[in-house]
Amino acid sequence: MEKIGVIIYGCGVMGRKIAHTVYSKKSFEIRGAVDTAPALVGKDLGELFPDKKKIGIIIGKDAEKVLSDKKAQAAVVATTSYLKDVASQIILCIKAGLNVISTCEELSFPWRSEPEEAAQIDRLAKEKGVTVTGTGINPGFLMDMLPLVLTAPCLEVSRVRVVRMMDSSKRRIPFQKKVGTGLTQKEFHEKIERKEITGHVGLLESIYMIAEGLGWDLDEAVEASPIPVLDERDVDTGLGRIRSGKVIGLSSTASGRIKGKEVIKLEFNAHAAVDEEYDEIYITGTPDIHQKIIGGVHGDIGAAAVTINSIPKVLHAASGLKTMKDLPPCAAIS
Amino acid sequence: MEKIGVIIYGCGVMGRKIAHTVYSKKSFEIRGAVDTAPALVGKDLGELFPDKKKIGIIIGKDAEKVLSDKKAQAAVVATTSYLKDVASQIILCIKAGLNVISTCEELSFPWRSEPEEAAQIDRLAKEKGVTVTGTGINPGFLMDMLPLVLTAPCLEVSRVRVVRMMDSSKRRIPFQKKVGTGLTQKEFHEKIERKEITGHVGLLESIYMIAEGLGWDLDEAVEASPIPVLDERDVDTGLGRIRSGKVIGLSSTASGRIKGKEVIKLEFNAHAAVDEEYDEIYITGTPDIHQKIIGGVHGDIGAAAVTINSIPKVLHAASGLKTMKDLPPCAAIS
């Protein structure tokens, strides 16, 4: 079997995690790596792996050069969450004739939030005969693809509700900071105002994907401002013991409505007082479906896995900008 | 939006349930119906609906005539479980230029159990530019498609185990008979020998689909003979109170092995002493995934729904014989 040649575009936390797994799978071969961070440029990509070793792939600064020099089929773009920032990178990949799989949250369903960028990417991808898909664990799987799949046994569906319950104290430190751990309530709200705390990027994209998959024409999709979570007790976190009264994480919600009725509800909880981690889906319909992933799905591993496992599906799809629901479902690659 | 024209081929319990829902959906229009049972031929299809009414579709005996007379895009073939029996019906549909969605269990993944029929159907479908897919709740969804989808967040998978736990006393009477309710153990084993009790058709097909989806080359896939389930207490069923010592249902299992190691295990339980109904999936991998559908999925409704919801995906797929994992996931149709 011929290996799928992959270029890693973005060698941060997620990019290097993806790269390490891609490197370990027989079906792939890493052919190049791009990053603009001075600390990374010129380094061997393998030095960023947990087992630090040379693999002969030097991280280049000049994306255009790396993308056109190296013979590959796909670029994994793991740079930022916002399509406005990542669109030019994706376009470089398309112009180099590469299929694109990106962890950019907004790319998971960009037609509503960034319609111009989405249309441009779709048009260019079709011209060059390549496919572009944004994916990850959430958005891309747990709060959109999986609930849609679970409506398959329903004759009718009237409401979809998804709840994620994550113990943030088990996650990496930057994530614990991102959810406001250790802040006062005042600091939390100030950071919300300065958009330094954003809740969870992608909730609206998940709502749009569910709605389109079910053929629902929403009148409204709104994301509420994240709510700080407090606890009566002191709570241990990766940032030390947090005194009662200070923030230990957040809860983010978003809703889709038709004629004022809430038909989609997504609830993302990440804090340090979670007793039981889980991912839960409630479908109201004929019949009702109530499913739970007991213990939840590890976010970082899941995000890397969904991204990698999507590569062959994206390569074999019709050209253009596709979302996860447009592709045959990806499964773990041996 | 132009409606999808559908012909119902087989107007038994499942066919009429599917027909009734197809009839109620704006996106479909029933254009013909076929059955060979003398009690059904010449009847209006709507008379078989729960609300018995004329819909102007007369059930015809001559499949070739109905299929060629009526302008439709898809035939739903709901006749029997075995591909050898249903292949000629599917071929008639293909020759009439119709896409085929069938509840035939063996068609859900026929490449191993009936490779010749599968190859013939695939070839003819490609010649005529149509798509053929076998589906349903199980096989087709709960024990194959859904576990595959749930491996998407895994970097590695070493084992897949699926358990269905169904309270047969809540199901229709023919089903309760099919699982041996009320028999003595001796009668149960005699019926097994005469193949009057078959356990659950499709377990091997589900194993084959999971293995292919994960890229696993199984050395062995075996279905164990169904085991009768007894209870210490007398148990109420749809066939009356069953005395302790008599059969109240069955348990069917199947395994897929690589080098003697069981890597796929499917367990189908349907009896009258089930305290809690559920459908559960255990994936051993990085990370482990443990998911449960609490309360399970109603078999008959689910089978009809998955079949109907697959129709648009089958219509838009590349031509040939496809399995559920080859199509974008179906979701409930509004």
Side-chain angles (χ1 to χ4, degrees), chain B residues 83-148:
Chain B
L83 188 52
K84 281 212 189 301
D85 302 328
V86 81
S88 61
Q89 301 165 351
I90 290 171
I91 288 168
L92 282 183
C93 297
I94 296 172
K95 287 187 173 164
L98 294 167
N99 297 280
V100 179
I101 298 91
S102 175
T103 60
C104 169
E105 281 88 343
E106 282 191 347
L107 186 65
S108 67
F109 197 98
W111 301 101
R112 293 295 185 91
S113 42
E114 300 293 355
E116 280 174 36
E117 277 78 2
Q120 188 194 10
I121 288 170
D122 185 50
R123 183 172 50 75
L124 285 174
K126 281 176 177 153
E127 274 174 29
K128 296 291 279 184
V130 296
T131 310
V132 176
T133 301
T135 191
I137 191 74
N138 174 210
F141 188 74
L142 286 175
M143 292 187 119
D144 35 38
M145 175 75 174
L146 187 56
L148 271 179

Side-chain angles (χ1 to χ4, degrees), chain B:
Chain B
M1 191 181 65
E2 212 183 326
K3 286 170 185 272
I4 298 172
V6 175
I7 290 174
I8 305 295
Y9 194 140
C11 302
V13 177
M14 190 48 64
R16 63 185 72 171
K17 190 178 260 304
I18 291 167
H20 184 235
T21 302
V22 166
Y23 180 75
S24 74
K25 300 256 178 203
K26 277 185 205 158
S27 39
F28 299 113
E29 189 171 82
I30 296 180
R31 305 242 166 100
V34 182
D35 205 296
T36 54
L40 299 181
V41 176
K43 267 201 172 177
D44 187 298
L45 178 62
E47 292 179 64
L48 307 178
F49 293 172
D51 53 347
K52 295 187 178 58
K53 61 178 168 193
K54 305 239 169 177
I55 62 167
I57 301 293
I58 304 304
I59 298 171
K61 185 170 61 177
D62 184 345
E64 221 167 332
K65 190 169 180 311
V66 175
L67 296 170
S68 57
D69 262 12
K70 315 289 179 181
K71 217 179 130 44
Q73 285 78 54
V76 174
V77 179
T79 51
T80 80
S81 299
Y82 300 101
L83 188 52
K84 281 212 189 301
D85 302 328
V86 81
S88 61
Q89 301 165 351
I90 290 171
I91 288 168
L92 282 183
C93 297
I94 296 172
K95 287 187 173 164
L98 294 167
N99 297 280
V100 179
I101 298 91
S102 175
T103 60
C104 169
E105 281 88 343
E106 282 191 347
L107 186 65
S108 67
F109 197 98
W111 301 101
R112 293 295 185 91
S113 42
E114 300 293 355
E116 280 174 36
E117 277 78 2
Q120 188 194 10
I121 288 170
D122 185 50
R123 183 172 50 75
L124 285 174
K126 281 176 177 153
E127 274 174 29
K128 296 291 279 184
V130 296
T131 310
V132 176
T133 301
T135 191
I137 191 74
N138 174 210
F141 188 74
L142 286 175
M143 292 187 119
D144 35 38
M145 175 75 174
L146 187 56
L148 271 179
V149 165
L150 283 164
T151 67
C154 299
L155 295 173
E156 297 285 347
V157 172
S158 59
R159 186 164 192 257
V160 175
R161 185 175 153 229
V162 187
V163 180
R164 295 198 68 189
M165 192 60 79
M166 290 169 45
D167 180 352
S168 56
S169 72
K170 293 183 183 171
R171 299 287 302 273
R172 55 193 160 89
I173 301 297
F175 182 82
Q176 299 192 40
K177 287 187 177 155
K178 215 174 96 179
V179 298
T181 309
L183 300 177
T184 64
Q185 290 191 64
K186 185 163 175 288
E187 286 165 344
F188 184 93
H189 290 294
E190 283 166 1
K191 278 183 184 271
I192 292 274
E193 265 180 38
R194 291 199 301 269
K195 293 189 195 295
E196 289 168 29
I197 289 180
T198 53
H200 183 73
V201 183
L203 291 180
L204 288 178
E205 282 70 18
S206 291
I207 286 183
Y208 299 142
M209 197 194 297
I210 292 173
E212 191 178 87
L214 293 173
W216 288 354
D217 194 6
L218 298 179
D219 296 319
E220 199 184 8
V222 286
E223 191 177 340
S225 188
I227 295 166
V229 175
L230 312 173
D231 201 86
E232 290 168 355
R233 306 155 299 173
D234 296 354
V235 175
D236 287 321
T237 75
L239 301 167
R241 170 157 292 200
I242 307 298
R243 287 296 177 84
S244 160
K246 285 200 169 176
V247 176
I248 54 166
L250 57 75
S251 175
S252 251
T253 59
S255 307
R257 297 197 186 92
I258 297 175
K259 291 179 186 163
K261 197 177 158 236
E262 186 184 71
V263 290
I264 303 173
K265 172 74 173 271
L266 306 184
E267 198 181 317
F268 176 92
N269 304 286
H271 60 79
V274 166
D275 293 321
E276 185 206 349
E277 292 192 290
Y278 59 82
D279 290 304
E280 200 159 23
I281 297 170
Y282 301 86
I283 294 160
T284 311
T286 311
D288 292 343
I289 306 274
H290 175 197
Q291 87 103 49
K292 189 168 181 178
I293 298 182
I294 296 147
V297 179
H298 189 287
D300 287 346
I301 298 177
V306 173
T307 307
I308 295 161
N309 294 333
S310 298
I311 296 174
K313 305 296 172 187
V314 171
L315 257 63
H316 290 108
S319 59
L321 171 57
K322 304 287 173 195
T323 71
M324 285 296 273
K325 75 172 183 55
D326 306 322
L327 308 176
C330 67
I333 294 169
S334 298

